Amino acid sequence: MRRSLETALAAALFAVVGIGGVVYGARSWMPPLASRHGAGIDAMLLYLLVTVGGLFLTGYLALAYLIWRGGRRDRIGTRLASHKTEVVLSVVLGLGMAVIAEGGVLGIGMPVWTEYFDAAPPADATVIEVTAQQFMWNVRYPGADGRFGRTAPQLVDETTNPLGLDRSDPAATDDIVTINEIAVPFGRAVRIRLHAKDVIHSFFLPHFRVKQDAVPGMTPEMVFFPTSTGSFELACAELCGLAHYRMRGFFNVVSETQFRAWLSTQAATR
Amino acid sequence: MTNGFVRRYIFSTDHKIIGIQYILTGLIMAIVGAWLAVLIRLQLGWPEHQWVFLSRLLPKGMPSGVMTPEFYLAVVTMHGTIMVFFFISYVLVSGFGNYLVPLQVGARDMAFPFLNMLSYWIALLSAVVMVLSFFVEGGAAAAGWTAYPPLSAVASAVPGSQMGQTLWILSMALFIASFTMSGLNIVATVFSTRAPGLSMMRLPLTVWSFFIASILGLLAFPPLTAGAVMLLFDRHFGTSFFLPSGLVVAGKLLPNTGGSPLLWQHLFWFLGHPEVYVLILPALGIAFDILPAFTRKPVFGYRISVWCLVAVGCLSMIVWGHHMFVSGMSPFTGEYFSLVTLTITVPMTIFGVNMLASLWGAKLELRTPMLFALSVIAMFGSGGFGGLFLGNATADMQLHDTYFVVGHFHMMIGGVTLLATFAAIYFWFPKMFGRTMNETLGRLHFWFTFGPFFVIFFMQHFLGLQGAPRRYYAFTAFDYLRDTRGQNLAISIAALLLVSGQLLFLVNFVWSLFGGLAAKANPWQATTLEWTTASPPPHGNFETQPVVERWAYEYGVQTTDGDFAVQTVPARNVPVTA
């Protein structure tokens, strides 16, 4: 039997999708990296992109071949595979997949994950409190005393005191509050305590491979280490309402001196 | 009139009519869902463009021809809700489940025909309530189809959280009631009404997939029902299940104390994850069963595939936390969920390869249902690979809530299910209506469907790698997303192509319903029980009770009918080979 044009086209379709997909994917898609633990996350993603890319190509080419080949037969080839063939193929492929998937988690993923969450924050880390609200990031530094002043939701006034800072608390007097702008000194770790005032937001620094939901009633902490200076964007990654798409902040990694100068300007303008 | 048209076609207790009712309702909802998808893509492909004709059609949502953010969020939420619950669940699970299960097990009807009718009418009511929610004050729900509180619980958080969200919850409650009844019915039918000789290991995989999907639904939906009631109480009766102390929304301190927003996420995903398997398992079962009719040989690894479905069903109940890796849940839990989630790749890989291996040695006939079934294999592979990224907690830290997720789940519960739905419609249309769909239009429809669909959602994976968050009204506010402009434009164009291509299907469907060629009882020369009766089958399905003699895949044998033996052919006439 002659292979019909359509069979050839269908086989070609799947072959093109397989090859085209790998070609399209084989670019550097991620935003440039700017954090230490992010190298681990990128390694995890690279491992997945390479292994999955290989499987993807193999799968599509196999499908294309089987269509190409099957379209030319007048009678079936092998009718029933033996039970043994079925079991062997399943065990081999199942195990192979388990090794690729779980191997990635255990070999690359888990160490990165554990280090990111378990590492004790260095004593010299810059401590910052970020409180997300519709649709901005309230940023607070503890000031010279290194202690955050007390806050209370009853004291919140959206125009004068968005964090509900208790001015009668001595620890609160030197707290520095900014909006949508975080500065950190280069060469030190960053330790962020995350709050949310109203709904769930998500603190997403694409260049730092940092993402953490800000959930009302919870105070998750993040510790990470910037590896390059510059101004980076902070995005909200959890649907939080109408202006979710432009809930934008800046995360500036600057030199120690610039950082001190910036902090004192912020303290003065308060 | 009681025994006339109304009784027969409207308030029918016949599973075939109810199945068709579900399918037609689901297809109408699909048109609504697709229209919402077009609006989304117009906004993302051409942000700020003024669509003057749309401003006349939607004066509130697109006053000057540009969509408002509140309308955008409502559209996104409703697109997801409608497609998941009112299109795929209705057409594939309830529709084909109802139509096929009794026929394929050789029963006269479902175990509980009246309950079945009740399920459909409640399902219809649920769909009507959901669509009506567009027209209430504040518009339809806008907190996403996952409805995370506090956004979904506090009316001042987003306009859609006024009356729209309440109707969303009520509609979901109706949906769950209906889906539970229908699932119970399918399980009971498989257990109690199988034809003599039809052991569980002789069931077509389609029936197995509906059976497992229904059990999953029965186990997973009740927690969401509880969650929905709690959310309703938080919204209207002052409780604080999901609302912690000290919430200040829109400048106002709320009186709630002591709740946890994460509790909702656990309840939602405890349903939500099994739910995606409720949708995808029937799709896989159907594609698996359509293959042999066009390869003219038995499937590869039937028994192993059954156990794969069982294994996936069990595993799907204990992996929900992979939706919550960065939610603030304990990182230790994240490690557990990561490891267990990725074990699902084992049965799913085996299943996928069994489908592929079923093509080995085939005498391939590329009819329309087969083209779609083949593309199910392809889409299942592509989507499944994305799961390796998202199930991996470390990779998910970057990819969570980005377009990678959007691309992934659209391929799986959008693409695999959509392509399988088409395969099923083209395959069983002759049985349902006694007429054949037009083959040329059908094939053309395939070419307009798989390609664009693949391009759209494949590209979205890479948007996600670039860090583009989902549910963004526009990507214009961030510098690092500036390069995504062209990609979004390309995706939008592919989406418009995809939607236009579906017109071919609609025309074919409607035209064939009235003008299609008359169908024989077994036009595809297939082996399962539904093909032993007339097209369409009479009330009661079979003239005489079928007695099953063999498994469902006896192809490639010499019989008086040709190269296949239906399940009722006695073993003394044609040897049983598996």
Side-chain angles (χ1 to χ4, degrees):
Chain A
M1 191 172 78
R2 282 208 32 224
R3 183 185 294 119
S4 74
L5 174 66
E6 199 179 14
T7 319
L9 277 177
L13 169 75
F14 292 117
V16 166
V17 167
I19 296 167
V22 169
V23 170
Y24 184 82
R27 274 173 44 192
S28 175
W29 288 98
M30 312 275 295
L33 178 65
S35 73
R36 194 183 279 166
H37 80 279
I41 293 180
D42 284 14
M44 185 73 259
L45 284 166
L46 182 68
Y47 167 86
L48 287 168
L49 284 167
V50 170
T51 51
V52 164
L55 293 170
F56 177 88
L57 184 64
T58 315
Y60 269 95
L61 290 182
L63 180 61
Y65 169 76
L66 288 168
I67 293 171
W68 173 260
R69 184 75 189 79
R72 207 178 47 187
R73 286 201 190 87
D74 317 321
R75 62 182 61 206
I76 56 169
T78 329
R79 182 177 175 268
L80 257 183
S82 71
H83 185 61
K84 197 179 154 203
T85 315
E86 294 178 351
V87 172
V88 168
L89 191 73
S90 296
V91 170
V92 169
L93 288 163
L95 281 181
M97 204 58 175
V99 168
I100 290 174
E102 302 285 12
V105 175
L106 293 168
I108 308 174
M110 216 74 111
V112 175
W113 180 262
T114 314
E115 204 200 320
Y116 178 70
F117 284 105
D118 272 9
D124 68 339
T126 318
V127 183
I128 306 166
E129 182 204 75
V130 174
T131 304
Q133 76 173 79
Q134 290 178 328
F135 297 95
M136 59 193 206
W137 306 93
N138 298 287
V139 181
R140 181 157 70 128
Y141 291 82
D145 63 354
R147 284 167 53 218
F148 288 109
R150 203 178 74 86
T151 59
Q154 291 78 12
L155 300 174
V156 168
D157 181 313
E158 290 301 342
T159 44
T160 59
N161 189 5
L163 287 177
L165 203 59
D166 182 356
R167 313 265 189 218
S168 65
D169 179 8
T173 48
D174 65 345
D175 284 8
I176 299 163
V177 179
T178 68
I179 287 171
N180 291 338
E181 197 173 5
I182 306 173
V184 296
F186 181 70
R188 286 204 267 149
V190 183
R191 183 177 174 187
I192 294 180
R193 293 183 189 170
L194 201 55
H195 293 286
K197 237 167 97 175
D198 38 30
V199 300
I200 303 177
H201 302 265
S202 190
F203 183 91
F204 180 32
L205 290 171
H207 301 83
F208 293 78
R209 319 300 190 238
V210 164
K211 187 182 289 142
Q212 175 64 55
D213 283 4
V215 184
M218 295 173 75
T219 313
E221 265 199 26
M222 293 166 279
V223 180
F224 57 95
F225 198 97
T227 52
S228 41
T229 54
S231 178
F232 302 93
E233 283 174 310
L234 161 65
C236 181
E238 181 67 65
L239 177 60
C240 62
L242 298 185
H244 170 53
Y245 73 103
R246 50 185 169 86
M247 185 167 157
R248 181 195 196 202
F250 289 95
F251 189 87
N252 302 323
V253 186
V254 295
S255 72
E256 192 77 43
T257 33
Q258 283 171 310
F259 175 64
R260 287 188 192 288
W262 179 81
L263 262 192
S264 41
T265 330
Q266 295 303 318
T269 51
R270 182 164 54 89
Chain B
M1 257 326 253
T2 47
N3 284 322
F5 180 83
V6 170
R7 187 67 200 269
R8 193 154 168 205
Y9 292 108
I10 310 289
F11 292 103
S12 171
T13 56
D14 184 336
H15 74 99
K16 298 184 291 297
I17 298 297
I18 295 173
I20 291 168
Q21 286 174 329
Y22 266 116
I23 291 170
L24 294 179
T25 312
L27 288 176
I28 291 167
M29 292 304 278
I31 295 174
V32 179
W35 165 237
L36 297 176
V38 168
L39 290 178
I40 294 172
R41 286 321 312 180
L42 288 182
Q43 165 62 22
L44 294 178
W46 297 270
E48 287 155 38
H49 180 86
Q50 298 201 331
W51 305 93
V52 179
F53 69 102
L54 286 176
S55 69
R56 265 173 238 136
L57 207 61
L58 300 161
K60 256 189 163 167
M62 305 179 69
S64 59
V66 183
M67 197 181 288
T68 62
E70 45 270 49
F71 187 57
Y72 179 80
L73 291 183
V75 165
V76 167
T77 302
M78 294 297 274
H79 167 74
T81 306
I82 286 175
M83 287 305 205
V84 169
F85 295 107
F86 299 101
F87 168 42
I88 297 298
S89 295
Y90 280 7
V91 174
L92 200 59
V93 188
S94 304
F96 279 101
N98 250 305
Y99 192 86
L100 291 177
V101 169
L103 277 168
Q104 292 198 334
V105 302
R108 292 176 55 80
D109 205 316
M110 291 285 257
F112 310 112
F114 183 78
L115 188 72
N116 203 18
M117 180 179 83
L118 207 59
S119 314
Y120 170 72
W121 286 100
I122 293 177
L124 183 67
L125 183 64
S126 149
V128 169
V129 171
M130 192 58 84
V131 171
L132 282 183
S133 75
F134 266 111
F135 304 97
V136 296
E137 183 67 31
W145 79 284
T146 50
Y148 281 9
L151 189 65
S152 63
V154 181
S156 56
V158 68
S161 287
Q162 298 170 33
M163 216 41 209
Q165 190 68 48
T166 299
L167 289 183
W168 186 90
I169 295 171
L170 292 176
S171 165
M172 286 309 297
L174 289 170
F175 172 87
I176 293 169
S178 141
F179 205 69
T180 309
M181 289 193 277
S182 144
L184 198 68
N185 221 339
I186 287 177
V187 173
T189 306
V190 173
F191 270 137
S192 61
T193 65
R194 297 196 309 278
L198 188 57
S199 62
M200 290 301 275
M201 281 325 235
R202 280 178 174 175
L203 286 177
L205 210 76
T206 304
V207 176
W208 265 108
S209 65
F210 284 122
F211 178 62
I212 295 168
S214 302
I215 293 177
L216 286 183
L218 289 178
L219 293 175
F221 269 109
L224 184 71
T225 321
V229 171
M230 287 152 84
L231 187 56
L232 199 69
F233 272 62
D234 273 10
R235 291 173 49 78
H236 294 289
F237 306 114
T239 56
S240 303
F241 291 110
F242 307 123
L243 299 174
S245 336
L247 280 185
V248 182
V249 183
K252 208 171 141 253
L253 178 66
L254 300 187
N256 304 76
T257 49
S260 159
L262 279 200
L263 176 62
W264 167 266
Q265 297 185 22
H266 282 292
L267 289 171
F268 183 85
W269 289 116
F270 188 83
L271 153 92
H273 199 74
E275 163 70 5
V276 302
Y277 287 94
V278 170
L279 303 177
I280 205 169
L281 293 184
L284 294 175
I286 283 171
F288 190 90
D289 277 0
I290 288 177
L291 293 176
F294 303 95
T295 60
R296 307 313 299 168
K297 64 184 282 281
V299 291
F300 182 91
Y302 164 75
R303 278 170 178 270
I304 293 174
S305 301
V306 168
W307 291 113
C308 285
L309 293 186
V310 173
V312 169
C314 294
L315 288 171
S316 77
M317 298 297 297
I318 54 170
V319 298
W320 75 92
H322 65 222
H323 297 267
M324 300 168 61
F325 286 139
V326 300
S327 67
M329 181 179 76
S330 156
F332 297 110
T333 332
E335 295 184 350
Y336 156 79
F337 278 120
S338 208
L339 284 171
V340 186
T341 297
L342 291 175
T343 58
I344 292 186
T345 54
V346 175
M348 289 269 92
T349 303
I350 296 173
F351 192 92
V353 170
N354 284 353
M355 288 208 283
L356 207 53
S358 295
L359 305 177
W360 186 264
K363 177 164 110 32
L364 214 57
E365 293 166 16
L366 280 193
R367 309 292 295 276
T368 309
M370 184 59 165
L371 282 170
F372 279 102
L374 290 171
S375 64
V376 167
I377 306 178
M379 196 57 83
F380 176 56
S382 318
F385 290 139
L388 292 183
F389 289 74
L390 297 173
N392 184 317
T394 310
D396 189 60
M397 227 191 292
Q398 182 72 3
L399 301 177
H400 179 74
D401 262 330
T402 65
Y403 263 81
F404 195 98
V405 180
V406 179
H408 168 68
F409 74 69
H410 273 94
M411 278 195 171
M412 294 306 258
I413 58 169
V416 172
T417 53
L418 180 75
L419 296 167
T421 299
F422 286 136
I425 291 176
Y426 285 108
F427 192 69
W428 280 291
F429 190 95
K431 183 54 63 185
M432 289 180 168
F433 303 107
R435 292 178 189 275
T436 314
M437 287 182 81
N438 182 292
E439 185 67 15
T440 313
L441 275 178
R443 291 181 192 194
L444 213 55
H445 172 220
F446 166 79
W447 287 95
F448 273 96
T449 302
F450 176 77
F453 197 99
F454 182 88
V455 166
I456 294 166
F457 299 107
F458 187 76
M459 286 181 76
Q460 291 192 347
H461 285 78
F462 294 91
L463 277 178
L465 278 170
Q466 289 160 86
R470 66 192 284 202
R471 293 166 174 163
Y472 266 27
Y473 164 74
F475 294 104
T476 45
F478 286 88
D479 290 338
Y480 82 97
L481 294 174
R482 215 180 299 136
D483 291 348
T484 61
R485 177 89 185 81
Q487 295 166 50
N488 269 309
L489 188 64
I491 291 172
S492 287
I493 290 168
L496 294 180
L497 194 65
L498 174 66
V499 171
S500 334
Q502 305 318 303
L503 295 177
L504 292 169
F505 170 75
L506 274 187
V507 168
N508 196 352
F509 189 91
V510 175
W511 179 81
S512 303
L513 215 47
F514 302 102
L517 293 174
K520 289 181 293 212
N522 189 0
W524 311 111
Q525 303 200 301
T527 55
T528 41
L529 293 179
E530 76 273 28
W531 304 108
T532 61
T533 183
S535 299
H539 193 73
N541 294 346
F542 301 95
E543 301 291 334
T544 54
Q545 172 66 56
V547 177
V548 172
E549 302 272 345
R550 62 184 68 242
W551 74 327
Y553 305 97
E554 209 75 274
Y555 291 92
V557 289
Q558 283 298 319
T559 68
T560 46
D561 297 328
D563 64 346
F564 68 103
V566 292
Q567 283 186 279
T568 49
V569 172
R572 62 178 182 278
N573 298 6
V574 180
V576 176
T577 60

